[in-house]
Amino acid sequence: MNKNLIVGNWKLNPEGADKARILFTDIKKVSNKLKNTEVVMCAPYVFLPILKNLSNTKAVLGAQNVWHEANGAFTGEVSVKMLKELNVKYVIVGHSERRAMGEDNILVSKKVNALLKANITPILCIGESHRDSTGAYLQFIKHQLIESLSGVPKTNLKKVVIAYEPIWAIGKNAVREATVAESMEMSLFIKKVISDISDTKTAYMIHILYGGSANKDNAQDFMNNGGVQGLLVGRACLSVKDFSKIIIGIDNQTLK
Ligand code: PGA
């Protein structure tokens, strides 16, 4: 992929189908004018059939989770094939809010593999809950990354999008915002880990996103100086005004 990638994570929003249709349509109007940026909107499952026919190559449909088995006794789950039929091109896996509900790296890796087999792009979320002065968080990230990617053939690694989302910077209860220097450090570290398990070329082809309180005021700085090729945006993607500002601002820059 040679474009900036901006992903909106709608989480448990908006309240109903009408609002979902309006949000998607309004962002699509802005996305249609973009040249260097792909915009993905990850909606709750129930809205996907409604948004399916609205999506195009500039305003792409994504999901927030998936189940790795094709069918069977898995109450409440949704398969890769079901998402594929709904024109879903990207799926967030291993978001910290799902990990907090019990998902571990091995389960996440099964989801990553199932998606790759179906040619759907996994957006693999990783991130530490806190930082320490001895750098233990780097080992945590390394372990999370390697285990969440287990079973992925080396040739397929470049198809995975990695979203670095420090948990302490996510949501309205964030401890603080991450700095672009912290994003840059982690982007280089992730590339090093990927390079160690595959090769340098793959490491540099992989798209890395920053997520955690990304907003209209800091988005361009993360893209310019944070060593990332895109953003995973939570709260700010629910405001047409704010999300438009983010994607237009970023589109005016070339991919770093
Ligand atoms: P936030 O959420 O932008 O509201 O911090 C990001 C995320 O959880 O993906």
Side-chain angles (χ1 to χ4, degrees):
M1 194 193 311
N2 53 3
K3 286 186 168 188
N4 304 310
L5 181 64
I6 308 299
V7 182
N9 178 7
W10 288 8
K11 305 193 182 184
L12 190 56
N13 299 291
E15 281 160 24
D18 286 344
K19 286 192 175 155
R21 201 180 290 111
I22 293 168
L23 179 58
F24 196 95
T25 308
D26 286 352
I27 295 299
K28 181 180 161 180
K29 274 185 210 142
V30 182
S31 303
N32 279 340
K33 296 184 200 128
L34 304 177
K35 299 222 163 16
N36 305 311
T37 309
E38 187 168 319
V39 175
V40 181
M41 284 173 269
C42 296
Y45 288 146
V46 289
F47 298 146
L48 299 175
I50 298 158
L51 304 176
K52 180 186 172 204
N53 294 328
L54 297 174
S55 67
N56 64 16
T57 54
K58 298 269 178 90
V60 182
L61 199 53
Q64 299 171 21
N65 190 20
V66 69
W67 190 247
H68 56 284
E69 302 279 359
N71 48 45
F74 301 103
T75 303
E77 297 297 348
V78 167
S79 74
V80 172
K81 187 160 176 267
M82 291 170 187
L83 294 182
K84 185 107 184 160
E85 278 184 6
L86 295 173
N87 215 9
V88 165
K89 307 278 189 231
Y90 291 82
V91 177
I92 296 171
V93 285
H95 190 280
S96 57
E97 287 154 13
R98 296 226 53 96
R99 290 179 186 268
M101 293 175 202
E103 288 197 18
D104 62 12
N105 293 332
I106 298 302
L107 177 59
V108 171
S109 75
K110 288 179 184 164
K111 296 182 178 191
V112 170
N113 280 290
L115 290 166
L116 287 171
K117 278 199 191 101
N119 266 323
I120 296 179
T121 304
I123 300 170
L124 167 62
C125 297
I126 54 170
E128 77 284 1
S129 58
H130 63 279
R131 289 209 165 190
D132 59 289
S133 54
T134 59
Y137 67 94
L138 291 170
Q139 291 317 307
F140 176 85
I141 291 292
K142 182 177 176 181
H143 178 73
Q144 205 178 35
L145 190 54
I146 291 176
E147 223 172 51
S148 301
L149 288 171
S150 56
V152 178
K154 279 183 189 170
T155 47
N156 269 347
L157 277 173
K158 59 179 180 295
K159 297 182 187 160
V160 180
V161 170
I162 295 170
Y164 170 60
E165 295 207 304
I167 296 172
W168 45 266
I170 294 178
K172 61 179 188 319
N173 295 325
V175 178
R176 64 172 173 89
E177 282 189 17
T179 65
V180 290
E182 285 166 332
S183 168
M184 175 63 91
E185 177 204 51
M186 197 53 84
S187 165
L188 293 172
F189 184 73
I190 290 168
K191 284 189 197 301
K192 166 85 173 78
V193 175
I194 299 293
S195 167
D196 288 347
I197 59 171
S198 59
D199 51 69
T200 320
K201 199 170 159 220
T202 304
Y204 277 87
M205 283 173 83
I206 261 188
H207 252 56
I208 300 177
L209 313 183
Y210 170 76
S213 301
N215 59 44
K216 62 179 174 25
D217 301 319
N218 62 22
Q220 293 202 38
D221 204 12
F222 275 112
M223 293 296 289
N224 274 332
N225 306 312
V228 292
Q229 294 74 47
L231 300 169
L232 180 50
V233 184
R235 281 156 297 159
C237 81
L238 298 170
S239 152
V240 174
K241 203 167 150 225
D242 287 7
F243 201 47
S244 300
K245 201 164 174 204
I246 291 174
I247 58 184
I248 292 168
I250 282 166
D251 195 54
N252 293 330
Q253 306 173 7
T254 49
L255 188 66
K256 297 234 170 18

